[in-house]
Amino acid sequence: MTQGFDTTAIHAGAAADPATGARQVPIYQTTAYAFRDADHAAALFNLQEVGYIYSRLTNPTVAALQSRIAALEGGAGAVCCSSGHAAQILALFPLMEPGRNIVASTRLYGGTVTQFSQTIRRFGWSAKFVDLDDPQALRDAIDDDTRAIFCESISNPGGYVTDIPAVAAIADDAGIPLIVDNTLATPYLCRPIEMGATLVVHSLTKYMTGNGTVTGGVVVDSGKFDWSASDKFPSLSAPEPAYHGLQFHKTFDNLAFTFHGIAIGLRDLGMTMNPQGAHYTLMGIETLGLRMQRHCENALKVAQWLEQDPRVVKVTYAGLESSPWKATADRLYPKGVGGLFTFEIAGGYQAAVKLVGALELFSHVANLGDARSLVIHSASTTHRQLTEDQQRAAGAGPEVVRLSVGIEDVADLIADLDQALAKATA
Ligand SMILES: *Cc1c(COP(=O)(O)O)cnc(C)c1O
């Protein structure tokens, strides 16, 4: 990224439309694209020429978004897809085979814990969960079948922060990629590739779009991993039977993972992003920097206010002086630690549930990263499929309330929490 963040957020991937001069990125609402002739069609299908065939694989509106996100993350390429969860499967797919595993952080979005501990087993894949603050535990968990380490930069729901350079060094030693879910931080607060990550995934559903209108995801590739350095990644390094023996890494070099994600991942798994969703996300990203500044400012003020209130037992925000993650946050996340955190209310489970019902400005929804403030009781919703031990390990115990602090006037948010706390603890 040679230009500043906000300039890139507005301009990357979005020159005036070559056909019409339209200044904003048009929604190319089309399924197919006319071939110039039979040779052109054959070249496209053979991956000898890059172009548009069919919108399950590529679409110009989605391509603009891919370029923009790749630029913001400092990646070689990016592949958008239908959701954040789709992005996780799309990221793992080229790396994994039956019998292989990943090592994942214990501090993850609840749906990701379920996807990794249950669903991926049907593909013959598995996950081992470790506390990534314990480097020795991480090293011990990696075995000959491990194909990736997975973590969140800022983690859901506690707003904890991961020491990405430390984890990336361990991944490097093991010769495997580090995948970072950067949903909560966004590239405004954290650029995992600069800290040594190989792949970055996002739920675009959250801050990137920023207004609760789109379900989308993306996988960004750093282009820096040597897929041919070992025989661990045959999908990328060995001849691909579905493309007449094409070798992705040899042919596409630092774009191997991106091309594989489109030519195999989207082609055969079909988890495509639609052009209208891509357009909304492009609009959202234009204001990402401004929004993230306000999310961070508001969240810090709300967390500080809650922490000094006798009706509150504990606040997890990594921006607070009391947080065990404050030093890591200052070192690696100097612009702030986002808008999401949890707190424990005096009165436990019952008071937590009452509080959620009494809030007026905070909407009770299973989402985060919206311009408006949101609240949820994780243990009875997003983390419901987890055991109580898994809930506690993920920072979502039964007495915990999660806030996604929006960009409204912070005094109004505090007033709303004040009245709801009074009702909940009366
Ligand atoms: C929401 C979320 C996901 C899943 O994204 P979807 O777009 O809902 O599929 C993954 N990781 C994190 C950190 C999330 O917040």
Side-chain angles (χ1 to χ4, degrees):
M1 190 162 64
T2 46
Q3 291 170 322
F5 185 90
D6 293 315
T7 308
T8 306
I10 291 168
H11 291 282
D17 181 53
T20 61
R23 189 61 199 86
Q24 195 43 280
V25 178
I27 303 172
Y28 283 90
Q29 197 70 46
T30 183
T31 306
Y33 307 84
F35 303 123
R36 288 194 303 273
D37 51 40
D39 288 345
H40 178 221
L44 290 174
F45 273 89
N46 268 343
L47 299 183
Q48 284 155 343
E49 188 177 328
V50 177
Y52 298 103
I53 299 176
Y54 187 67
S55 283
R56 173 157 31 82
L57 293 95
T58 45
N59 171 281
T61 314
V62 177
L65 178 60
Q66 289 170 164
S67 307
R68 182 168 300 176
I69 296 173
L72 289 171
E73 288 285 6
V79 182
C80 284
C81 56
S82 55
S83 71
H85 266 11
Q88 292 168 192
I89 298 296
L90 200 60
L92 292 178
F93 189 64
L95 312 178
M96 303 293 276
E97 292 168 300
R100 308 300 185 207
N101 68 70
I102 58 169
V103 177
S105 170
T106 45
R107 285 184 283 272
L108 295 176
Y109 175 67
T112 303
V113 177
T114 308
Q115 188 186 54
F116 287 174
S117 61
Q118 310 291 334
T119 304
I120 64 169
R121 284 202 275 182
R122 308 210 182 166
F123 306 144
W125 311 346
S126 61
K128 307 182 203 181
F129 295 93
V130 299
D131 181 345
L132 294 192
D133 285 344
D134 181 347
Q136 197 51 47
L138 173 55
R139 276 191 210 99
D140 291 347
I142 297 170
D143 63 32
D144 287 345
D145 285 320
T146 305
R147 290 294 177 270
I149 300 173
F150 187 99
C151 68
E152 294 176 4
S153 45
I154 299 177
S155 75
N156 183 347
Y160 309 119
V161 294
T162 302
D163 188 339
I164 296 173
V167 176
I170 295 173
D172 268 359
D173 286 346
I176 55 175
L178 168 63
I179 307 173
V180 176
D181 180 340
N182 203 30
T183 299
L184 263 57
T186 81
Y188 181 76
L189 298 178
C190 175
R191 292 173 26 103
I193 289 170
E194 283 174 358
M195 298 187 199
T198 298
L199 301 171
V200 175
V201 295
H202 279 276
S203 168
L204 300 176
T205 315
K206 314 292 173 50
Y207 292 102
M208 295 288 266
T209 305
N211 46 36
T213 50
V214 167
T215 307
V218 69
V219 183
V220 186
D221 177 25
S222 63
K224 292 180 183 162
F225 196 89
D226 182 357
W227 305 110
S228 307
S230 73
D231 57 6
K232 286 187 172 174
F233 304 102
S235 294
L236 294 158
S237 61
E240 167 60 51
Y243 276 104
H244 313 298
L246 177 99
Q247 288 168 275
F248 276 88
H249 191 207
K250 209 170 149 188
T251 309
F252 299 113
D253 191 31
N254 69 338
L255 285 171
F257 197 94
T258 302
F259 271 85
H260 192 279
I262 294 167
I264 304 278
L266 292 183
R267 188 194 64 175
D268 295 345
L269 301 176
M271 37 175 73
T272 305
M273 187 177 212
N274 66 77
Q276 186 150 4
H279 178 80
Y280 287 145
T281 303
L282 281 163
M283 298 303 96
I285 289 176
E286 292 188 348
T287 58
L288 181 64
L290 289 172
R291 287 186 288 107
M292 291 314 289
Q293 282 167 24
R294 180 62 94 81
H295 280 295
C296 290
E297 257 172 55
N298 279 3
L300 180 61
K301 282 183 192 148
V302 171
Q304 285 169 336
W305 181 82
L306 285 169
E307 189 175 46
Q308 55 73 48
D309 193 291
R311 297 167 294 187
V312 171
V313 177
K314 192 181 158 196
V315 184
T316 61
Y317 196 56
L320 291 172
E321 295 298 333
S322 60
S323 168
W325 283 277
K326 178 74 162 73
T328 309
D330 287 347
R331 181 164 52 90
L332 298 175
Y333 303 81
K335 287 173 165 173
V337 288
L340 195 85
F341 63 86
T342 62
F343 69 97
E344 254 171 62
I345 181 173
Y349 187 95
Q350 287 309 325
V353 170
K354 264 196 211 160
L355 177 94
V356 169
L359 284 164
E360 288 168 11
L361 269 180
F362 284 78
S363 305
H364 182 200
V365 301
N367 191 18
L368 62 95
D370 196 317
R372 69 215 85 238
S373 291
L374 313 174
V375 63
I376 199 159
H377 181 232
S378 300
S380 60
T381 55
T382 51
H383 288 61
R384 191 184 182 85
Q385 312 307 335
L386 277 55
T387 65
E388 192 172 320
D389 281 352
Q390 284 177 319
Q391 287 175 350
R392 288 191 189 284
E399 59 289 317
V400 170
V401 174
R402 185 186 83 184
L403 298 183
S404 172
V405 179
I407 59 176
E408 302 99 328
D409 293 286
V410 72
D412 295 329
L413 300 179
I414 290 175
D416 192 29
L417 284 162
D418 194 23
Q419 66 78 24
L421 278 168
K423 286 185 187 140
T425 57

